[in-house]
Amino acid sequence: MLLGLRVKNTLFIILGSAIFAFGLVHFNMQNELAEGGFTGITLLLYFLAGIDPSYSNLALNIPIFFIGWKFLGRRAFYYTIIGTIALSVFLWIFQRYQVRIPLEGDLFLAALFAGAFLGVGLGIIFRYGGTTGGVDIIARLVHKYVGWSMGKTMFIFDALVISVSLITYLGYREAMYTLVAVFVGARVIDFMQEGAYAARGAMIISDKYEEIADTINEKMDRGVTVLKGHGSFTKENRNVLYCVVGKNEIVRLKNIISFVDPHAFVSVTVVHDVLGEGFTLDENKNPLEN
């Protein structure tokens, strides 16, 4: 099972690298749009000195590999090697076998495509535990130790690299559309990191909490946790129910609560990622097939 998970993660990291490389070659490089991070540095070297990004990507990331090994552990380091090498390989392939996409007259559309492809590619890589080296590792470290989202960290780093690109070779028009692409990419990365599947968490306060919990267990086959609460205004101790359901189940949950106790207080929040029984594990604690 563990071997199968590693194979699955590796395949998705390779897929994400292919999507990223396709977007970089066909939308950034073909339309002379810059990029942030280490990728932006490889584009700087490409547009100023003609150095192939597939080679400079590997050369720039060698020192970062050692940081990844020290701070991220053996598994993350392995996935980083896979992602970085796969990215360089696909950059080499797509530069030599390009699909011509005529977007020279519409930089806004090119920027949207660039942001979407790079964001989806990196989002897949991140979601399956990998990186493509460079600022990806820095973003993971900042996320781990500081708590910033990866998209936020990458946006800051990207802005610095783009500023250098603007000084050296980038025109103001291309710079603005590059920022659009970077912003779109950052939002797509965060969306994919948080999970396209968003569940709903419900906090329920009711005198009939036991009946509500039993009905949810029976009718929806969802677990309910009883929390101890204390009302600040009433000074009374109350039991609070907490339940997580799929977003397609929230209407049914509210109907159950309303049927048992129309006067119950219910607070519903968006849960971006859920791990555990009923979501990623079955009743025997085995991983569910995606």
Side-chain angles (χ1 to χ4, degrees):
M1 183 177 296
L2 183 59
L3 178 60
L5 181 61
R6 288 178 178 174
V7 171
K8 175 184 176 181
N9 290 346
T10 299
L11 292 177
F12 272 102
I13 289 170
I14 293 173
L15 172 63
S17 299
I19 295 173
F20 182 93
F22 183 91
L24 189 68
V25 171
H26 291 88
F27 300 111
N28 291 78
M29 295 175 66
Q30 283 189 7
N31 296 279
E32 296 186 356
L33 295 177
E35 179 57 34
F38 274 38
T39 304
I41 297 175
T42 63
L43 291 180
L44 271 169
L45 296 174
Y46 172 75
F47 286 118
L48 295 177
I51 300 175
D52 191 326
S54 63
Y55 301 136
S56 58
N57 178 64
L58 285 177
L60 289 171
N61 278 293
I62 291 176
I64 302 299
F65 287 160
F66 295 100
I67 298 177
W69 171 261
K70 182 177 180 180
F71 290 99
L72 298 178
R74 183 171 60 183
R75 184 176 63 178
F77 178 75
Y78 163 75
Y79 289 147
T80 296
I81 294 290
I82 295 297
T84 304
I85 293 177
L87 176 59
S88 288
V89 169
F90 283 115
L91 283 173
W92 189 92
I93 293 174
F94 288 135
Q95 284 183 89
R96 286 151 181 82
Y97 303 96
Q98 293 190 33
V99 178
R100 193 64 190 173
I101 303 176
L103 294 176
E104 294 86 349
D106 194 344
L107 282 180
F108 181 71
L109 192 58
L112 292 181
F113 272 114
F117 269 81
L118 270 61
V120 169
L122 282 178
I124 292 174
I125 293 170
F126 288 159
R127 190 159 181 82
Y128 288 90
T131 75
T132 57
V135 73
D136 302 352
I137 294 180
I138 297 174
R140 288 175 65 91
L141 291 174
V142 172
H143 176 71
K144 180 177 181 180
Y145 294 107
V146 180
W148 289 6
S149 71
M150 291 184 181
K152 178 180 179 180
T153 302
M154 294 180 69
F155 185 80
I156 294 173
F157 198 96
D158 290 347
L160 295 175
V161 176
I162 291 169
S163 298
V164 176
S165 300
L166 178 60
I167 296 172
T168 54
Y169 78 92
L170 204 62
Y172 288 102
R173 185 166 176 262
E174 289 77 9
M176 181 55 65
Y177 284 115
T178 293
L179 289 176
V180 172
V182 170
F183 178 78
V184 171
R187 298 307 302 156
V188 171
I189 289 171
D190 283 345
F191 173 76
M192 297 196 68
Q193 276 291 101
E194 292 167 350
Y197 171 79
R200 297 293 184 267
M203 301 283 289
I204 308 160
I205 302 176
S206 170
D207 292 331
K208 300 180 180 180
Y209 68 93
E210 289 184 333
E211 186 177 350
I212 292 175
D214 290 341
T215 305
I216 293 173
N217 289 330
E218 179 182 351
K219 300 294 185 181
M220 300 186 66
D221 196 27
R222 290 294 186 189
V224 182
T225 300
V226 180
L227 307 175
K228 300 298 181 181
H230 180 77
S232 175
F233 179 76
T234 63
K235 308 301 181 183
E236 297 179 354
N237 293 324
R238 303 288 296 273
N239 288 315
V240 181
L241 302 180
Y242 181 68
C243 180
V244 177
V245 299
K247 62 181 178 181
N248 60 318
E249 298 176 305
I250 190 61
V251 173
R252 186 181 179 192
L253 175 66
K254 290 192 289 186
N255 288 338
I256 288 175
I257 297 170
S258 179
F259 177 78
V260 176
D261 183 5
H263 304 291
F265 179 85
V266 183
S267 173
V268 179
T269 58
V270 176
V271 181
H272 290 291
D273 217 352
V274 187
L275 305 175
E277 186 175 340
F279 293 92
T280 58
L281 301 175
D282 61 20
E283 63 274 10
N284 297 316
K285 309 301 181 183
N286 295 318
L288 292 172
E289 293 292 335
N290 292 328

